[in-house]
Amino acid sequence: VLLVESGGGLVQPGGSLRLSCAASGFTFSNYFMRWYRQAPGKERELVAHISSGGGSTVYSDSVKGRFTISRDNAKKTVYLQMNSLKPEDTAVYYCNTRSDRGRDYWGQGTQVTVSS
């Protein structure tokens, strides 16, 4: 299993970014996908997840209404569209999936910094 995130960067408050996570090494369309984030000095937190077919999504309260998770099963890619970004969204964002046996797989992470 390989997960590779991209799309992070520096953005001003109120701005937008779109993260991508390209997956390989497993049957992507069969598995839920998740985005987590970890800010300095804080625990990793779940931001959003999406069902295998994309029909069901769940968001943390901190990002609800601002972030949108989506997936393209043909491209084996999951996305996180982030709008109205706030300084408190600054974190390393990680893509995640979990095997049938409960093993977690992680990407290397992509840094998102929201600052003026």
Side-chain angles (χ1 to χ4, degrees):
V1 173
L2 183 63
L3 302 172
V4 180
E5 301 97 335
S6 61
L10 173 64
V11 63
Q12 292 186 342
S16 297
L17 281 175
R18 188 195 196 202
L19 306 184
S20 299
C21 172
S24 60
F26 65 107
T27 308
F28 180 78
S29 58
N30 286 357
Y31 292 91
F32 275 56
M33 296 297 298
R34 301 169 185 84
W35 284 100
Y36 283 78
R37 68 184 181 186
Q38 188 166 20
K42 295 188 176 182
E43 293 187 357
R44 194 170 295 189
E45 64 167 336
L46 178 63
V47 173
H49 78 245
I50 187 167
S51 61
S52 56
S56 176
T57 58
V58 176
Y59 300 91
S60 68
D61 288 343
S62 60
V63 308
K64 199 173 297 181
R66 300 187 298 121
F67 290 12
T68 303
I69 188 171
S70 62
R71 66 191 295 160
D72 185 332
N73 283 348
K75 295 183 178 180
K76 299 182 181 180
T77 301
V78 61
Y79 305 97
L80 187 67
Q81 178 67 45
M82 306 186 295
N83 299 329
S84 303
L85 283 161
K86 305 175 182 180
E88 51 263 43
D89 294 318
T90 295
V92 179
Y93 284 72
Y94 297 92
C95 180
N96 164 273
T97 194
R98 187 168 297 153
S99 73
D100 294 337
R101 295 185 178 184
R103 175 178 176 177
D104 280 308
Y105 294 91
W106 301 93
Q108 83 286 354
T110 186
Q111 175 71 48
V112 172
T113 302
V114 185
S115 175
S116 54

